[in-house]
Amino acid sequence: MAVLVLSVLILSCFSAIQFTHADSGMIGVNYGRIADNLPAPEKVVELLKSQGINRVKLFDTDKTVLTALANSGIKVVVSLPNENLTAAAADQSYTDNWVQENVKKYTPATDIEAIAVGNEVFVDPKNTTKYLVAAMTNVHSSLVKFNLDESVKISSPIALSALANSYPPSAGSFKPDLIEPVIKPMLDLLRKTSSHLMVNAYPFFAYAANADKIPLDYALFKENAGNVDSGNGLKYNSLFDAQIDAVFAAMAAVGFNDVKLVVTETGWPSAGDENEIGAGSANAAAYNGGLVKRVLTGNGTPLKSNEPLNVYLFALFNENQKTGPTSERNYGLFYPNENKVYDVPFSATVTPVSDSKVKVPVKTPSHVGQTWCVANGKTTKEKLQEALDYACGEGGADCRPIQKGATCYDPESLEAHASYAFNSYYQKNARGVGTCNFGGAAYVVSQPPKYGKCEFPTGH
């Protein structure tokens, strides 16, 4: 996919709880700039904020974009492009200067939290793979020099083509020629710096190439019979989950089962050429809408069920100057005039509607109709209690009805009390994006919760 990409990460608004990335499922949307008709960066920042988006990933360090993001409340990931890898690997002073000019210079006004060193380097036609780990190491050393290494992490997005085998997921493995020279040392560096492996995964490509073998519903997060992994017996209900677990299996096979993963690109085109089977707005809405719902419920993949997914959708806009097949110019959620190509509600309950071309309002409620926020009964008591304490304290939820003797004290259970507190916070925040998450401890429902005789508010 595009190298000049800015990706947006939608995170729970509970950053004050200090949940780690592994605890909070996150949804993102890429903002590519290979076009001559896009809004100015300042307008794009307004659009992001109107959608409740508070994380952005740039695949460059464009000055106008970084300046526009200053004091926006949006966390930023920047990138060192592939063409800079050779110089970065060869000279520490080069990365010192790069970090100073492209990271330190903009902080703290622009909240930079990570650097992506290169993008899909293993398939770079200029063959920069051999420089990757040295470049990443030098960038990290420069962060240490400027005392930024604790707040700014490093990684490098890889394509699924780095795998030699991906089916069944349990048999996932990296290409042998990559393992010793680059995979192991890169994963070791990520482990030592507490960074995540960045992965670009596109079920669309797999489906388009194997439509006679892969059910469309399986690729689009729709109801389907699923597939059972013959190696470990786990059942998969989506191609996306299967692809991600193949990467997890590949990491485990080389001794890095503990390294976390973030999906930096995934999406589905709303239009394509005749031979691009499955491209279309209805399928794009189903895939992206299904993925949003999948992530915001806080569930992980079958192989890593306790690690909710962190995902960036591709892309924010259709990009008219991208080369290649028609699909490449039609991954956007929005047209350059900011009208929607189709609707993807950033909530866990609303069914996506295709081909909705309504102008995005400045303030968009996350949910249509009546929705409530309740506790996830599968969450540990410790996490529920931590989230409940936050909601009733710093979060400002109205927890008076769950005090002893009050109307919603009965039933006297942690799940019931947490549900009331979470819903109060959710409603007070206008059912905004991410306000019913609590690191996977809560999720949205469309039916009134029933806990004894307690009535849950639906709005303020």
Side-chain angles (χ1 to χ4, degrees), residues 56 94 181 346 428:
V56 168
Y94 177 89
F346 290 103
K428 279 191 171 185

Side-chain angles (χ1 to χ4, degrees), residues 325-348:
T326 298
S327 62
E328 287 294 310
R329 293 173 290 284
N330 288 280
Y331 274 90
L333 300 175
F334 295 89
Y335 295 105
N337 64 4
E338 299 181 46
N339 286 347
K340 289 185 178 182
V341 178
Y342 53 86
D343 186 46
V344 174
F346 290 103
S347 75

Side-chain angles (χ1 to χ4, degrees), residues 305-327:
S305 59
N306 293 325
E307 295 183 17
L309 294 162
N310 303 326
V311 176
Y312 300 85
L313 295 180
F314 190 94
L316 186 58
F317 294 113
N318 280 343
E319 299 166 75
N320 67 348
Q321 292 188 318
K322 292 188 69 176
T323 58
T326 298
S327 62

Side-chain angles (χ1 to χ4, degrees), residues 8-301:
V8 191
L9 214 52
I10 300 169
L11 179 64
S12 162
C13 295
F14 303 110
S15 57
I17 306 182
Q18 301 300 311
F19 285 130
T20 65
H21 284 190
D23 289 329
S24 300
M26 299 183 291
I27 280 290
V29 54
N30 293 278
Y31 161 30
R33 295 186 291 111
I34 304 179
D36 60 5
N37 56 358
L38 299 184
E42 293 79 11
K43 288 286 188 180
V44 174
V45 171
E46 288 179 14
L47 175 64
L48 302 180
K49 292 174 73 173
S50 77
Q51 298 298 297
I53 295 166
N54 65 1
R55 265 181 159 79
V56 168
K57 181 177 179 293
L58 298 162
F59 270 59
D60 58 12
T61 52
D62 184 84
K63 180 179 180 180
T64 59
V65 176
L66 287 174
T67 301
L69 286 163
N71 304 307
S72 65
I74 298 173
K75 290 183 177 292
V76 183
V77 178
V78 297
S79 177
L80 185 148
N82 289 355
E83 54 265 30
N84 296 28
L85 291 177
T86 305
D91 191 354
Q92 180 71 59
S93 63
Y94 177 89
T95 57
D96 285 349
N97 181 68
W98 190 91
V99 168
Q100 186 168 27
E101 288 298 310
N102 297 287
V103 181
K104 184 174 175 59
K105 179 179 178 180
Y106 293 97
T107 58
T110 302
D111 189 358
I112 297 173
E113 65 172 351
I115 300 170
V117 181
N119 182 60
E120 298 190 353
V121 174
F122 306 153
V123 293
D124 183 356
K126 295 185 178 179
N127 193 26
T128 52
T129 297
K130 60 185 176 182
Y131 305 110
L132 178 59
V133 177
M136 292 174 69
T137 301
N138 282 348
V139 170
H140 181 256
S141 296
S142 298
L143 291 172
V144 172
K145 179 175 181 178
F146 293 111
N147 198 31
L148 293 170
D149 56 301
E150 289 298 319
S151 58
V152 182
K153 299 301 178 181
I154 57 167
S155 190
S156 184
I158 67 170
L160 281 185
S161 58
L163 298 181
N165 189 44
S166 61
Y167 184 83
S170 61
S173 61
F174 289 111
K175 290 181 175 176
D177 61 318
L178 293 174
I179 293 175
E180 295 300 331
V182 62
I183 294 293
K184 281 187 175 180
M186 178 175 67
L187 291 174
D188 186 55
L189 181 60
L190 296 180
R191 173 189 278 166
K192 289 177 179 176
T193 59
S194 300
S195 300
H196 294 186
L197 176 65
M198 295 177 173
V199 177
N200 297 343
Y202 286 89
F204 167 71
F205 295 146
Y207 173 76
N210 302 278
D212 57 330
K213 299 176 183 177
I214 300 175
L216 182 60
D217 287 351
Y218 182 65
L220 295 179
F221 297 98
K222 293 185 177 181
E223 289 294 323
N224 64 90
N227 285 308
V228 176
D229 188 314
S230 58
N232 57 23
L234 294 175
K235 185 177 181 180
Y236 288 85
N237 292 108
S238 75
L239 179 55
F240 175 84
D241 279 23
Q243 289 184 335
I244 300 311
D245 272 359
V247 180
F248 278 129
M251 289 196 288
V254 293
F256 292 89
N257 189 51
D258 56 323
V259 174
K260 308 297 183 185
L261 181 153
V262 56
V263 180
T264 35
E265 289 183 28
T266 189
W268 198 283
S270 61
D273 294 324
E274 187 175 342
N275 64 340
E276 294 187 287
I277 301 171
S281 60
N283 287 347
Y287 178 82
N288 287 323
L291 182 57
V292 168
K293 180 178 179 180
R294 172 82 182 74
V295 171
L296 294 185
T297 56
N299 298 321
T301 62

Side-chain angles (χ1 to χ4, degrees), residues 12-17 373 387-388 390-399 418-438 457 460:
S12 162
C13 295
F14 303 110
S15 57
I17 306 182
C373 182
L388 172 60
Y390 170 78
C392 292
E394 190 174 348
D398 180 9
C399 295
S419 292
Y420 190 92
F422 295 170
N423 184 65
S424 174
Y425 183 98
Y426 172 65
Q427 303 296 343
K428 279 191 171 185
N429 285 278
R431 301 191 293 259
V433 171
T435 58
C436 181
N437 185 301
F438 292 90
H460 288 267

